[in-house]
Amino acid sequence: MTILRSGTSSPIAADAHSALGRTAGVTAATTLTVYIVLLFAVPSSTSIAALGGLGRPAQLWGMFLLFWWLLSRLQARTPGQLRSVPQPVRYALVAFVVVALVSFAAALLRGQPGDQISPATTALLRLASWSGVLLVAMDGIRTYDDVAKLIRRLALAGTAMAALGLVQFFTGQTWLDWIVNIPGLAFEGADAATRGSFTRASGTAIHPLEYGTAVVAAIPLAITTAVNKGFRTTPSRYAGWWWGAVAVIMFASAVSVSRSALIGLFVAVVASLPAIPVAYRWLIGVGGGIIAAAALAIIPGMFGTVMNLFVGASDDPSTQSRTAALARVPEFLSSSPTIGQGFGTFLPRYYIFDNAWVLLLVELGVLGALSLAAMVLSAMGSALWSSRHSPFADLRAMGRALVASLLTISVLLIFFDGLSFPISAGLLFLMIGLTASVRTVAAADEDLVAASRHVARPEPALPEASTLPAAKSAQKDPAT
């Protein structure tokens, strides 16, 4: 028995489900695509002037998504319309939000300087925006096609970011100054950063480390999309272009002049290998090595600069700062080790932690750090669950690719305060939401295949009454 996706030739069960808010052509996939565009295409330092720090377009759209999700929860649903799938990510998110709220309340009760209340309030609004993105992805993306669309679009967004970074690297300009001419927008522009004689690309991100995170996190998605020919059900003449996207992202990562990005590149490529067939693993490994070697060879001075990033790492000021920061953690954590100082209240004037996990430990205590770790681990577990339970290879590949991207982001958060930067934080929560949606689709796949094995078959026709005696006599006579 062949199981086909409705309207296509590829197997999948979940197309029978309705996406969240599927009215008048507006779907969760559409709204999340808008979020991806705002997150990657609009420079992170751009905001609506009248709203100040709260006016970043991607953040505002995330808050709209939270409102849309809440509205959808209040609407009546037809019994049995949607299959309920247990989502460990949901419980971890609730725990994280509760800890953040309790920590915020405790910080205000202790009393805070006036200049810390506004950053703390802004931090809670950022959390609301991230939560909206995660919840819409988890509960609104319920079909294979929608998951495939978002993975393709995230891979394209990473490729576009990498291409802009390459232009910045070779020209030494950011190419973003034109935004100041748009009325109503505030843009905190800055000159391109440099390291040695090379320009450190930042794309549309605030900082090169945020740029590096966005680029290398797209590598597993681009590789898996290329291997699976764009996750399309019909052959496309443009499927081979995905390999070009992989090459652009890898080349941009290799010339990022960033130790963190190079570490992320290694993690992303290695973590991507389980998501692709064995026949492609040598292609990715050898091809990636050739691209990196070419980047180091054709750009004068690049090899020496990259080598110094690692050979002289112990003497690098950023490395020394991260090491010294770990020694200060007990001091800052001692007053409130359980729920921390308060989300968003630990300003740079106290100390600068180039480690998102450590800063979160100081601001939200042990419970906050454990809650976010539980969210990430449960998201990875959900994606791995889908890769084991879905009977369809393309969805299994999607789950493993999302695990690789999420692992890459989580590792890179060790090297900078990623939750304070719009792209890295928004991408983290979007990836977590997508892993939960893949779990939903895989559960529907599993149910469909199980149901197909129990399809009722017609009972064999009973013999006519007049022939029963003859049949019985035939059974008794061996010769007949």
Side-chain angles (χ1 to χ4, degrees):
M1 177 179 180
T2 303
I3 307 172
L4 297 179
R5 182 187 308 143
S6 175
T8 66
S9 59
S10 255
I12 201 63
D15 261 354
H17 295 287
S18 298
L20 180 68
R22 188 180 290 275
T23 57
V26 178
T27 67
T30 301
T31 58
L32 290 173
T33 299
V34 173
Y35 182 76
I36 293 171
V37 172
L38 294 176
L39 193 66
F40 282 83
V42 178
S44 296
S45 57
T46 303
S47 63
I48 299 174
L51 299 177
L54 299 177
R56 288 193 171 95
Q59 179 177 332
L60 293 174
W61 190 256
M63 295 174 68
F64 164 75
L65 292 180
L66 178 61
F67 172 77
W68 189 43
W69 179 85
L70 290 171
L71 186 63
S72 73
R73 297 296 96 186
L74 297 175
Q75 293 176 347
R77 293 177 179 274
T78 304
Q81 178 186 355
L82 299 177
R83 182 192 191 267
S84 178
V85 178
Q87 296 287 4
V89 168
R90 191 186 310 276
Y91 305 114
L93 174 64
V94 170
F96 185 69
V97 171
V98 169
V99 172
L101 293 174
V102 171
S103 178
F104 175 79
L108 293 186
L109 289 174
R110 288 194 302 266
Q112 297 292 322
D115 62 347
Q116 288 186 186
I117 297 177
S118 178
T121 305
T122 302
L124 286 183
L125 292 176
R126 291 203 315 269
L127 177 57
S129 176
W130 302 334
S131 300
V133 173
L134 189 156
L135 290 168
V136 169
M138 176 170 59
D139 294 331
I141 304 301
R142 305 185 65 88
T143 71
Y144 168 90
D145 287 339
D146 282 348
V147 176
K149 286 177 185 176
L150 289 175
I151 287 180
R152 285 196 299 266
R153 290 165 186 176
L154 280 169
L156 286 174
T159 305
M161 178 78 84
L164 176 59
L166 288 175
V167 173
Q168 293 172 340
F169 174 80
F170 286 110
T171 64
Q173 301 180 40
T174 63
W175 298 97
L176 300 177
D177 294 338
W178 57 271
I179 296 176
V180 299
N181 298 321
I182 301 178
L185 295 183
F187 174 65
E188 299 176 6
D191 294 333
T194 60
R195 174 170 278 172
S197 59
F198 297 104
T199 298
R200 297 187 67 187
S202 58
T204 57
I206 295 175
H207 193 276
L209 291 176
E210 183 186 22
Y211 160 82
T213 301
V215 168
V216 298
I219 290 176
L221 304 182
I223 290 175
T224 308
T225 303
V227 170
N228 290 275
K229 296 179 174 58
F231 293 112
R232 297 192 180 277
T233 56
T234 56
S236 171
R237 69 177 69 178
Y238 304 109
W241 286 99
W242 287 107
W243 291 109
V246 173
V248 169
I249 297 175
M250 286 190 171
F251 188 85
S253 302
V255 300
S256 60
V257 202
S258 169
R259 183 169 44 246
S260 301
L262 293 173
I263 293 173
L265 173 62
F266 175 79
V267 173
V269 172
V270 172
S272 298
L273 298 182
I276 60 179
V278 176
Y280 285 94
R281 293 177 187 175
W282 281 105
L283 173 64
I284 297 300
V286 175
I290 292 174
I291 291 173
L296 299 178
I298 66 177
I299 301 176
M302 178 59 70
F303 179 77
T305 301
V306 171
M307 290 299 295
N308 288 334
L309 289 176
F310 293 93
V311 174
S314 59
D315 299 325
D316 186 76
S318 61
T319 303
Q320 294 175 346
S321 174
R322 293 186 181 99
T323 304
L326 296 177
R328 300 289 301 275
V329 172
E331 172 189 345
F332 293 117
L333 197 60
S334 59
S335 61
S336 182
T338 305
I339 58 174
Q341 301 291 329
F343 193 40
T345 63
F346 196 84
L347 302 182
R349 69 164 178 256
Y350 299 121
Y351 202 84
I352 297 178
F353 288 106
D354 286 330
N355 187 321
W357 293 103
V358 172
L359 180 58
L360 188 69
L361 179 64
V362 172
E363 290 190 336
L364 290 183
V366 175
L367 290 180
L370 288 178
S371 297
L372 183 61
M375 201 187 311
V376 172
L377 292 175
S378 60
M380 292 181 180
S382 293
L384 291 175
W385 184 93
S386 70
S387 68
R388 291 193 302 269
H389 286 75
S390 176
F392 305 120
D394 46 7
L395 191 71
R396 294 197 299 268
M398 287 182 185
R400 297 188 185 110
L402 288 170
V403 170
S405 292
L406 196 52
L407 176 63
T408 302
I409 297 173
S410 301
V411 170
L412 290 182
L413 290 182
I414 298 174
F415 300 101
F416 79 117
D417 178 21
L419 295 182
S420 299
F421 293 86
I423 296 178
S424 53
L427 191 58
L428 173 68
F429 279 77
L430 176 57
M431 290 289 188
I432 291 174
L434 287 177
T435 59
S437 68
V438 168
R439 180 186 179 97
T440 299
V441 177
D445 289 344
E446 192 176 36
D447 288 350
L448 180 65
V449 172
S452 70
R453 293 171 181 164
H454 297 86
V455 176
R457 289 182 170 82
E459 295 292 337
L462 294 176
E464 297 288 341
S466 59
T467 64
L468 287 177
K472 290 181 180 180
S473 60
Q475 292 175 2
K476 292 180 181 179
D477 187 358
T480 59

